[in-house]
Amino acid sequence: MTTSRQVLRIGNCSGFYGDRLSAAREMVEGGPIDVLTGDYLAELTMLILWKSRQRNPDAGYATTFLTQVEEVLGTCLDRGIRIVSNAGGLNPGGLAREIELLAARLGLQPTIAHVEGDDLLDRLPSLQAAGHPLAHLGTGRTLHEAGVAPVTANAYLGGWGIAEALRGGADIVVCPRVTDASLVVGPAAWAFDWRLDDWDALAGAVVAGHVIECGPQATGGNYSFFTELPAGSRPGYPIAEIAPDGSAVITKHPGTGGAVTVETVTAQVLYETATPDYLNPDVVARFDTIELSQEAADRVRISGVRGRPAPDTAKVCVNYAGGFRNSATFVLTGLDIEAKADHTVRALDDALGGLDTFAEADVRLLRTDVPDPSASAAAESRLRVTLKDPDESRVGRRFFDAIGDIGMGGYPGMWVERAERRASAFGVYWPALIPTAELAPEVVFADGRRLPAPVPPVAPYPGFPAASPASSLGHRIVGETVSVPLGRLVGARSGDKGGDANIGLWARSDDAFAWLRDYLDVDRLRLLLVEASDLTVDRYELPRLRALNFVVHGLLGDGVAATTRPDPQAKGLGEYVRSRHVDVPRTLLADLGTPAATDSSRTAVPAR
């Protein structure tokens, strides 16, 4: 394709498997775009698709994508809009065949291609025999030492297979486990004829892809200051207008809800990130070089992004069956809440022959009661008991029956909000690395053509410099301070990274960021988030975004599918941290026009 094009408009219509079904039609009919993308895959989704293949070997892809394609395919072909999606999941070839059948029923003849080469399940024994231990990225334990039987193993591929498919004339590109950002990188590399080592341009596309991959999270969804946005309509889905140099403008169709501002984009930039080096198969994008500016209403420019050579290793998502789990929630009302919880746990322990005989027993008392409540709901707390075991019968009907056995002899006012007769299977996520040289992705066309995906030059990734330790940071508060929720000054976006959780926090002014950077070190983060008190926490600074990013290692255990934490993907973690009261200089609140009349004031003294 020639490089005379000045902009490539890429509109995303899906952030997960189950997102708004009408979004594809809204994106295609709402205004001009050149490429329609959809992101359907997450670590949990791979397990969901594996389960679907157990019922039907021809399944294993996101079925909702077919419905969306049916609504827009004719229009896309008429307007020359390419469709690129990772909805292929575990069976991209199967989904490509279904689209071909769908097109035939509609009387259409699109050129369809799919990408292969991510599925490593059958190769795991030979890879281990060749000296690749597939060690867990969090624990260092090898897959062999774990002694588990993986059910899925998929390498994260990049965008060059997509680019090759588009060069080959594909109207629709069905992808397996490519990285989310690759859905933007591939079309951009195709449209502008980028070289394999155009690191800065590729890095800019990675950032744009990361921003739009979760749909309306870039246009006001899950946004800390949502009350400041226009009320009424649902947030529209985002569009990335990519320029030949890799810079981009994030926008949305006119008339759609939400807003595109520097802060809504900042929030999404911070989502599910770790170090400021964001590793992708095609490039390492330096998030500490990102510059955001408000170009116009609902138009935010991303510029200045720098890239480093692609890493010589690829991430692999391995999943294995972890066993079975079941939960019960007991409602505790009124007085003696802790005694009632203890009574219940002891009764269950006796009825089940010992909670310590299960593979895992997670007991959480969630205190939501208040003194002298004005309504019965305000007097309630909840005891949540979760059991895991390889034996389904132990945590299924036996657990349910034990709850019935203790019912009449339970604590005063006992009632059970949730209890299931059957246990559910759960999977465990195992992240690992293999050399990129072990991968050979290919593009497969419906007419039988096979094209190897271009392979970028790679270099060993040296790692990001060690995060700032708490002891190296100074803390100075000058003048009067006010005890207010941290969220008066700071926005947050949090999410899961396997068993880890990230909390990205951004300040709303330069002065607020100067204070935040000095104030919020690892030790104080642990004070605000007690669950992290015994966990490893990394802290990273992104001054150009006025942001800090914390990575809490191990908070989610074995990942979203296996964790017993009530918020398994850490979605609310950032908002919890924002709710914690801290001592803030009153002048910062005055600068923002934030009322503080009801907050407690004091004169600050240095903390150290």
Side-chain angles (χ1 to χ4, degrees):
M1 184 166 182
T2 64
T3 57
S4 60
R5 179 192 292 270
Q6 295 304 304
V7 67
L8 182 74
R9 292 172 59 87
I10 303 177
N12 182 37
C13 70
S14 177
F16 72 103
Y17 188 13
D19 207 347
R20 190 190 309 172
L21 198 61
S22 62
R25 176 172 43 79
E26 294 168 10
M27 182 60 72
V28 170
E29 296 177 356
I33 60 170
D34 303 302
V35 181
L36 176 69
T37 64
D39 175 23
Y40 296 81
L41 300 185
E43 293 147 5
L44 177 62
T45 316
M46 304 305 279
L47 273 169
I48 293 171
L49 296 178
W50 170 74
K51 290 180 180 179
S52 72
R53 290 200 91 174
Q54 304 313 294
R55 297 186 295 270
N56 177 9
D58 293 328
Y61 50 80
T63 56
T64 54
F65 180 67
L66 283 169
T67 302
Q68 293 175 304
V69 168
E70 183 172 5
E71 292 183 343
V72 303
L73 182 54
T75 304
C76 287
L77 292 175
D78 288 343
R79 298 180 185 174
I81 299 171
R82 304 307 202 275
I83 301 174
V84 180
S85 173
N86 62 9
L90 296 176
N91 188 9
L95 178 55
R97 288 188 293 273
E98 287 298 319
I99 296 173
E100 189 175 8
L101 294 173
L102 169 64
R105 291 197 299 271
L106 297 174
L108 303 172
Q109 294 181 313
T111 300
I112 303 169
H114 71 273
V115 178
E116 295 181 347
D118 69 309
D119 192 346
L120 302 178
L121 185 62
D122 293 339
R123 293 182 57 198
L124 289 180
S126 62
L127 287 169
Q128 293 175 89
H132 306 306
L134 294 160
H136 191 287
L137 290 179
T139 66
R141 192 182 185 196
T142 69
L143 193 60
H144 175 74
E145 290 170 340
V148 297
V151 295
T152 69
N154 299 82
Y156 289 75
L157 303 180
W160 286 109
I162 297 170
E164 192 68 15
L166 294 171
R167 287 171 183 158
D171 299 304
I172 303 172
V173 184
V174 177
C175 300
R177 177 70 276 190
V178 297
T179 67
D180 302 344
S182 295
L183 301 175
V184 168
V185 174
W190 158 72
F192 301 118
D193 200 23
W194 288 341
R195 300 187 308 271
L196 293 169
D197 60 354
D198 278 335
W199 306 127
D200 291 347
L202 291 164
V206 164
V207 175
H210 177 69
V211 169
I212 72 170
E213 71 188 39
C214 288
Q217 281 195 176
T219 62
N222 293 330
Y223 175 58
S224 292
F225 305 107
F226 71 102
T227 58
E228 299 175 5
L229 299 178
S233 301
R234 298 177 298 181
Y237 280 67
I239 298 167
E241 297 179 350
I242 312 293
D245 65 354
S247 62
V249 171
I250 305 301
T251 185
K252 62 187 184 69
H253 283 320
T256 56
V260 181
T261 71
V262 166
E263 288 193 85
T264 65
V265 173
T266 296
Q268 182 56 27
V269 167
L270 295 172
Y271 181 59
E272 294 185 341
T273 59
T275 79
D277 278 349
Y278 193 82
L279 275 64
N280 254 254
D282 305 315
V283 65
V284 176
R286 292 183 51 198
F287 275 34
D288 57 349
T289 64
I290 297 172
E291 296 178 8
L292 302 178
S293 57
Q294 194 79 43
E295 185 179 81
D298 292 325
R299 292 182 63 83
V300 171
R301 178 167 293 280
I302 301 172
S303 60
V305 184
R306 297 292 178 261
R308 294 186 172 125
D312 62 354
T313 56
K315 186 177 178 181
V316 180
C317 168
V318 177
N319 285 296
Y320 65 89
F324 298 88
R325 64 191 292 173
N326 200 359
S327 295
T329 302
F330 300 83
V331 180
L332 318 174
T333 308
L335 305 177
D336 304 319
I337 295 294
E338 292 189 6
K340 290 171 179 174
D342 182 64
H343 182 281
T344 305
V345 173
R346 286 188 286 107
L348 283 174
D349 186 76
D350 179 66
L352 292 168
L355 294 179
D356 58 358
T357 64
F358 292 86
E360 182 178 348
D362 183 82
V363 178
R364 296 174 186 260
L365 176 58
L366 309 176
R367 293 295 297 266
T368 53
D369 57 303
V370 299
D372 191 20
S374 58
S376 59
E380 296 173 355
S381 290
R382 281 159 176 77
L383 176 70
R384 185 172 180 264
V385 179
T386 302
L387 301 180
K388 292 182 179 179
D389 203 81
D391 185 347
E392 180 179 10
S393 65
R394 298 194 72 211
V395 293
R397 186 59 187 248
R398 184 182 173 205
F399 182 28
F400 182 83
D401 288 345
I403 295 169
D405 289 346
I406 68 174
M408 293 297 101
Y411 58 87
M414 176 177 170
W415 64 281
V416 180
E417 185 174 63
R418 176 180 180 269
E420 303 291 342
R421 288 179 171 82
R422 300 185 63 180
S424 59
F426 70 91
V428 178
Y429 169 63
W430 183 283
L433 297 175
I434 63 166
T436 55
E438 291 289 347
L439 301 177
E442 287 187 313
V443 179
V444 183
F445 287 84
D447 61 11
R449 283 181 295 153
R450 283 184 171 267
L451 300 175
V455 179
V458 298
Y461 175 63
F464 194 81
S468 303
S471 60
S472 72
L473 299 172
H475 169 221
R476 299 177 303 279
I477 297 179
V478 179
E480 186 181 35
T481 64
V482 183
S483 178
V484 298
L486 179 63
R488 288 282 182 87
L489 284 182
V490 172
R493 177 66 63 79
S494 58
D496 61 314
K497 295 289 290 183
D500 304 335
N502 94 292
I503 309 166
L505 301 159
W506 78 90
R508 310 198 80 183
S509 69
D510 290 339
D511 287 343
F513 178 63
W515 168 81
L516 179 69
R517 181 164 53 182
D518 279 346
Y519 179 83
L520 194 55
D521 55 27
V522 170
D523 285 345
R524 283 200 178 84
L525 189 279
R526 287 197 177 104
L527 290 175
L528 299 180
L529 182 63
V530 177
E531 294 167 280
S533 59
D534 297 324
L535 300 175
T536 299
V537 179
D538 293 330
R539 176 188 184 277
Y540 301 100
E541 297 183 3
L542 297 122
R544 296 189 183 201
L545 300 176
R546 296 196 298 226
L548 303 177
N549 190 38
F550 294 89
V551 180
V552 185
H553 294 273
L555 182 71
L556 305 178
D558 291 320
V560 58
T563 184
T564 55
R565 195 174 184 277
D567 179 13
Q569 292 179 291
K571 300 291 188 182
L573 199 62
E575 288 301 300
Y576 168 69
V577 171
R578 289 184 69 236
S579 74
R580 299 301 309 274
H581 282 234
V582 298
D583 293 326
V584 173
R586 183 181 286 276
T587 55
L588 293 180
L589 297 174
D591 290 344
L592 293 176
T594 304
T598 60
D599 299 308
S600 60
S601 302
R602 67 179 179 84
T603 299
V605 295
R608 295 195 181 93

